[in-house]
Amino acid sequence: MVRALLSGNEAVAEGALAAGCNFFAGYPITPSSEIMHYMARELPKRGGSFIQAEDELAAINMVIGASWAGARAMTATSGPGFSLMQEGLGYAIMTETPLVIVNVMRAGPATGQATKAAQGDLMQARWGRHGDQMIPVLAPSSPQEAYDLTIEAFAIAEELRTPVVVLSDEFIAHGREVVELREKVEIPSRRKPRDPSEPPFGSPDPRIAPPMPPLGEGYYVIVTGSTHNEYGYRDVHSFETHFRLVKRLVDKIRLNVDKLFRYEVLGDDDAEVAIVCFGSVSRSAKQALRMLRSRGVRAKLLRLVTLWPMNDEVVRRELRSAKTIVVPEMNLGQLIYDVQRLAREDSRIVAVNKVGGGIPIYPSEIVEAALGGSR
Amino acid sequence: MGCSIVVDSRLCKGCGICVELCPARALELSKELSPSGYRNPVQTGKCVGCRTCEMFCPDFAIAVVCNGKGSA
Amino acid sequence: MSVAKHFSRKYLREEVLPTPFCPGCFNGVVMNAMFKAMEELGIEDLRNFVFVSGIGCSSWIPNPLIRADSLHTLHGRAVAVATGVKLANPRLNVVVIGGDGDLVAIGGNHLLHAARRNMDLLVVMVNNMVYAMTRGQLAPTTPLGFRTATTPYGNFEPPINVAKLLINTNANYVARWCVSNFHKLKQSFKEALSEVSKGFRFIEVVAPCITYVVRYEGKTPGQKIKELREACVEVKSISEIDDVERRGKIAVGVFKKELKPGYVELYESYASRAREASQK
């Protein structure tokens, strides 16, 4: 076992390299740039390709091209760049292009506060593209998890032929902790069609991604972001073709929710107070949990690692006993919509929202919110 | 022997480029419509085998055959 | 004896013919020049080629018409996707085909930077002078005074001279031909696929939109080709371009032809320096 002191950004890069990433295109942006720096240093000497793109539109599209040419490809960015990359993500969804995109969240909108942590891109990560679509979103809460989830993101991308978002934030990105690095990571390569007659854009079972023909091997594959049939031919008129395609693309993620959904539960099974959180805020939330329990409050913490697709059943079950639910977020309230939807009707849902200036949500604020009103 | 033109009526859209550019004035648009509703070119004069019609046919619908051979 | 077929047909997917283009559309002529060049180069099939296009009428040239791997990408992004393809598998011949709106307006930044990098791509710009697919709006290449859906009183924005702009980048090859210059255009395709097979190669083909330019002017496609034969003047040196254009003509020719190492070659030597540095 190799242990290394890494920042969250460095851990993402180490995870990507462990997962066999051999192509990176990116554009400088705070607070994600260290991921690009790391890849710029490592990829050329390891036989991979690194390119600094002219903008984020180029970066994501280069990643898409590289993925079709057979590479394990990724990019990393932050808010404004993530906005620009939405267009390319939509194309990657429609063409079923495996790739990993890391968004290190900072305070927005617009340029906002480039160096300050935030969690305001949750809804954008889920819904940022136009049209019907769904992609997995994973949120690390430590450098260790940044490493592990980046590896996981590549595995999901390859298996399901989909872009995967790793939603980090400035606290994790620049926080430094000991990370246990794995000796060996095996991620199965995407499956090629058995022969050119096997459709590259259709699958009888929506949970299983169709095989992906790499460029240059005589498959004569037709890739298009327009609505297409299972062989890639454009069909921009028929209801059946469009509905079948987008339904399958969404079902590919939605019906794999059991496989994709990761979460952590700490504390009491029959908790009266529950804290629901993701990402770096979980660090304060865990401390708040300890504080509540030391005061004799039966409390639990539900930390979502997978932010999308959402496993409604799990969240509903975990929140069943809670009379008070605290949702601390470094935004003005996004995860809380899921909680409102899935908590029991008589529960008291308390938001703790704070964003800007690089000021974290403190454990005491969560405790206060949990006890407020019931004291 | 000379040359002759072969027109694929499935592809021809009757744009008339071949007729207008033929230096030998060997082509005319037909009076009748093709099954797809276009007036296809027909050979009415001597083809000199310059292949201008072939090169400029935007619909890949013309082939010039000289001495039984198509384009090299 | 089988019925003789047009020479381009061996490179096309029969099942998608006839083409989706308007009758007389010059896209097909551009394809003929490219395929004639390939035929003369002895290229039997296109398995080592990848065609990348964006959005627009000419972006439908490769996808799905050409029997090859092709990526029909987002509006403006073809050059970026093509860059990714080339870097991930440098063995492939990567050809971008697109229109002036796609490559120069929405995709202008990618074009400029691919040229700056001397990226190993052949970029074919079919300049039809308007946005045709979206029904005839102003393009960055629309001539002054030209009436479009968005300049109904005549265009007042001076157009961009793309080939002239790219001469001043690190591009290895820059040529412009009119669709009427079939043999010269074919020759440029041959050069850009063999003699100058590395670095950034740019071929502009002046091919006015049949529907929103040619028909609008009350001309037939054949008349337009005859007109272009007169209007397009070949220059032997780039110093003559301005003079030709001052006379209201279209300067055509091979404006630049160099054999500098392309991006792939430069990256490979950079990577070997990286490996050496890490061994020290």
Side-chain angles (χ1 to χ4, degrees):
Chain A
M1 183 79 73
V2 183
R3 310 179 97 214
L5 184 66
L6 297 177
S7 73
N9 276 347
E10 291 165 347
V12 162
E14 274 295 339
L17 293 166
C21 172
N22 55 5
F23 185 96
F24 186 102
Y27 185 80
I29 189 164
T30 304
S32 79
S33 293
E34 295 85 5
I35 300 173
M36 182 162 75
H37 300 167
Y38 209 97
M39 299 306 265
R41 195 180 69 214
E42 293 303 316
L43 281 176
K45 60 189 192 200
R46 297 180 189 217
S49 289
F50 171 88
I51 184 166
Q52 182 174 324
E54 55 271 21
D55 54 35
E56 284 93 346
L57 301 166
I60 185 85
N61 282 286
M62 288 172 179
V63 165
I64 289 166
S67 181
W68 272 98
R72 270 189 196 161
M74 79 177 296
T75 186
T77 187
S78 184
F82 194 53
S83 293
L84 289 175
M85 290 187 186
Q86 296 303 324
E87 176 194 69
L89 276 178
Y91 182 83
I93 292 165
M94 194 61 151
T95 54
E96 300 180 72
T97 307
L99 63 87
V100 171
I101 173 169
V102 183
N103 176 20
V104 182
M105 289 184 285
R106 66 189 224 187
T111 312
Q113 293 186 324
T115 60
K116 307 305 180 193
Q119 296 184 313
D121 304 350
L122 166 60
M123 288 302 188
Q124 188 189 22
R126 290 173 176 179
W127 297 113
R129 285 70 56 192
H130 61 272
D132 295 288
Q133 48 79 38
M134 199 172 217
I135 52 175
V137 180
L138 311 175
S141 64
S142 65
Q144 179 69 57
E145 231 178 15
Y147 175 82
D148 293 333
L149 290 180
T150 302
I151 294 171
E152 179 73 21
F154 273 99
I156 295 168
E158 290 290 318
E159 190 191 333
L160 294 181
R161 268 185 71 181
T162 180
V164 179
V165 178
V166 176
L167 200 61
S168 177
D169 68 56
E170 193 274 337
F171 284 148
I172 297 157
H174 292 156
R176 204 166 272 278
E177 284 179 334
V178 171
V179 177
E180 288 183 357
L181 305 176
R182 295 186 220 169
E183 305 260 304
K184 204 171 171 202
V185 177
E186 289 280 359
I187 293 176
S189 288
R190 59 189 82 150
R191 190 168 68 85
K192 295 181 191 180
R194 285 181 297 273
D195 57 73
S197 72
E198 197 182 358
F201 300 100
S203 171
D205 182 346
R207 287 167 302 180
I208 296 168
M212 185 168 177
L215 304 174
E217 295 189 13
Y219 287 98
Y220 296 141
V221 61
I222 306 166
V223 184
T224 177
S226 297
T227 294
H228 46 274
N229 71 13
E230 60 268 42
Y231 288 97
Y233 293 97
R234 222 174 15 251
D235 178 355
V236 295
H237 297 291
S238 104
F239 158 77
E240 287 78 11
T241 308
H242 185 78
F243 195 77
R244 197 190 317 125
L245 175 64
V246 295
K247 180 82 165 48
R248 182 177 63 76
L249 295 181
V250 169
D251 281 350
K252 187 169 73 173
I253 308 304
R254 190 158 55 188
L255 301 182
N256 275 309
V257 63
D258 288 337
K259 210 194 273 183
L260 295 171
F261 193 71
R262 309 254 187 291
Y263 64 102
E264 182 186 25
V265 177
L266 297 171
D268 302 306
D269 279 345
D270 59 346
E272 284 180 56
V273 172
I275 307 168
V276 185
C277 57
F278 74 97
S280 65
V281 169
S282 320
R283 316 288 292 246
S284 291
K286 282 184 186 174
Q287 180 59 22
L289 177 72
R290 280 189 284 269
M291 288 159 71
L292 286 166
R293 295 182 78 206
S294 72
R295 293 190 197 188
V297 179
R298 286 202 311 283
K300 68 156 47 168
L301 177 141
L302 170 61
R303 176 171 75 90
L304 302 180
V305 177
T306 302
L307 294 173
W308 209 234
M310 180 62 74
N311 194 327
D312 292 1
E313 238 171 276
V314 168
V315 176
R316 222 176 253 133
R317 188 184 69 219
E318 292 300 336
L319 298 181
R320 206 165 35 202
S321 66
K323 295 191 179 104
T324 297
I325 303 170
V326 184
V327 190
E329 300 180 73
M330 278 192 290
N331 57 40
L332 299 184
Q334 298 191 15
L335 185 64
I336 198 165
Y337 289 110
D338 290 297
V339 177
Q340 287 166 341
R341 190 169 57 87
L342 298 167
R344 25 184 266 216
E345 272 181 34
D346 61 345
S347 60
R348 188 175 69 96
I349 300 169
V350 192
V352 179
N353 302 121
K354 199 172 164 191
V355 62
I359 309 294
I361 293 173
Y362 298 112
S364 57
E365 294 170 315
I366 300 171
V367 170
E368 220 167 277
L371 302 178
S374 64
R375 265 182 301 193
Chain B
M1 290 285 280
C3 305
S4 58
I5 66 151
V6 181
V7 178
D8 187 334
S9 64
R10 185 173 73 93
L11 303 191
C12 176
K13 296 180 192 147
C15 70
I17 289 181
C18 50
V19 175
E20 287 184 71
L21 296 188
C22 177
R25 295 171 191 267
L27 298 168
E28 276 176 30
L29 286 182
S30 65
K31 298 277 183 294
E32 306 79 49
L33 299 183
S34 70
S36 10
Y38 297 113
R39 294 172 64 191
N40 290 0
V42 286
Q43 191 174 344
T44 52
K46 190 172 178 293
C47 172
V48 297
C50 71
R51 300 186 188 279
T52 300
C53 57
E54 220 179 48
M55 291 181 281
F56 282 92
C57 176
D59 285 294
F60 325 112
I62 281 190
V64 177
V65 181
C66 298
N67 305 318
K69 278 192 205 150
S71 173
Chain C
M1 192 187 109
S2 65
V3 179
K5 275 188 185 174
H6 189 276
F7 61 84
S8 291
R9 300 270 284 271
K10 61 176 163 292
Y11 299 111
L12 300 174
R13 294 181 201 264
E14 282 291 322
E15 71 275 19
V16 294
L17 294 176
T19 74
F21 305 129
C22 302
C25 174
F26 295 140
N27 279 348
V29 184
V30 179
M31 295 171 80
N32 287 341
M34 181 173 74
F35 291 141
K36 198 70 182 169
M38 288 175 164
E39 187 183 73
E40 290 181 11
L41 289 170
I43 296 166
E44 287 295 314
D45 64 52
L46 302 174
R47 66 171 51 224
N48 293 319
F49 279 81
V50 174
F51 292 87
V52 186
S53 64
I55 298 296
C57 292
S58 51
S59 294
W60 280 6
I61 287 177
N63 187 300
L65 280 174
I66 301 182
R67 204 173 132 70
D69 289 332
S70 66
L71 293 127
H72 177 238
T73 69
L74 294 166
H75 195 18
R77 313 291 165 236
V79 169
V81 172
T83 296
V85 171
K86 184 66 188 180
L87 297 186
N89 188 348
R91 176 182 71 77
L92 300 170
N93 293 310
V94 184
V95 181
V96 173
I97 302 179
D100 39 309
D102 189 60
L103 289 169
V104 184
I106 190 168
N109 203 27
H110 310 310
L111 183 75
L112 190 66
H113 287 276
R116 170 179 67 82
R117 297 182 178 111
N118 203 16
M119 188 57 66
D120 303 72
L121 303 172
L122 167 57
V123 176
V124 183
M125 185 179 91
V126 183
N127 179 357
N128 67 358
M129 303 178 171
V130 287
Y131 281 77
M133 185 167 275
T134 48
R135 297 196 292 154
Q137 296 87 354
L138 178 80
T141 48
T142 304
L144 279 174
F146 202 86
R147 272 183 284 166
T148 71
T150 47
T151 53
Y153 310 108
N155 174 31
F156 62 95
E157 291 189 19
I160 192 169
N161 195 324
V162 187
K164 218 163 94 179
L165 174 78
L166 292 180
I167 294 169
N168 297 308
T169 64
N170 298 315
N172 262 359
Y173 189 87
V174 178
R176 178 198 288 143
W177 297 106
C178 289
V179 73
S180 53
N181 306 118
F182 188 90
H183 289 284
K184 301 278 189 172
L185 174 60
K186 178 199 76 184
Q187 202 53 37
S188 267
F189 273 114
K190 283 175 83 170
E191 281 182 345
L193 289 172
S194 58
E195 202 185 325
V196 191
S197 59
K198 59 183 177 184
F200 190 80
R201 292 144 285 151
F202 182 80
I203 300 176
E204 174 181 351
V205 190
V206 179
C209 172
I210 283 304
T211 299
Y212 293 106
V213 179
V214 180
R215 297 281 180 200
Y216 192 90
E217 293 172 338
K219 291 170 188 149
T220 66
Q223 281 168 344
K224 192 69 185 177
I225 286 176
K226 287 180 183 170
E227 182 190 299
L228 287 170
R229 280 176 182 164
E230 302 302 317
C232 304
V233 178
E234 185 176 353
V235 297
K236 297 293 174 205
S237 144
I238 54 171
S239 60
E240 299 167 28
I241 295 177
D242 288 347
D243 187 47
V244 169
E245 287 172 352
R246 260 194 300 273
R247 287 188 279 130
K249 303 278 187 185
I250 300 169
V252 296
V254 177
F255 297 157
K256 189 179 188 186
K257 185 171 157 184
E258 291 177 1
L259 283 167
K260 298 188 299 282
Y263 185 96
V264 168
E265 207 176 317
L266 295 173
Y267 184 81
E268 274 163 13
S269 68
Y270 172 78
S272 70
R273 278 198 284 131
R275 279 189 297 274
E276 279 165 29
S278 70
Q279 276 155 12
K280 272 173 200 163

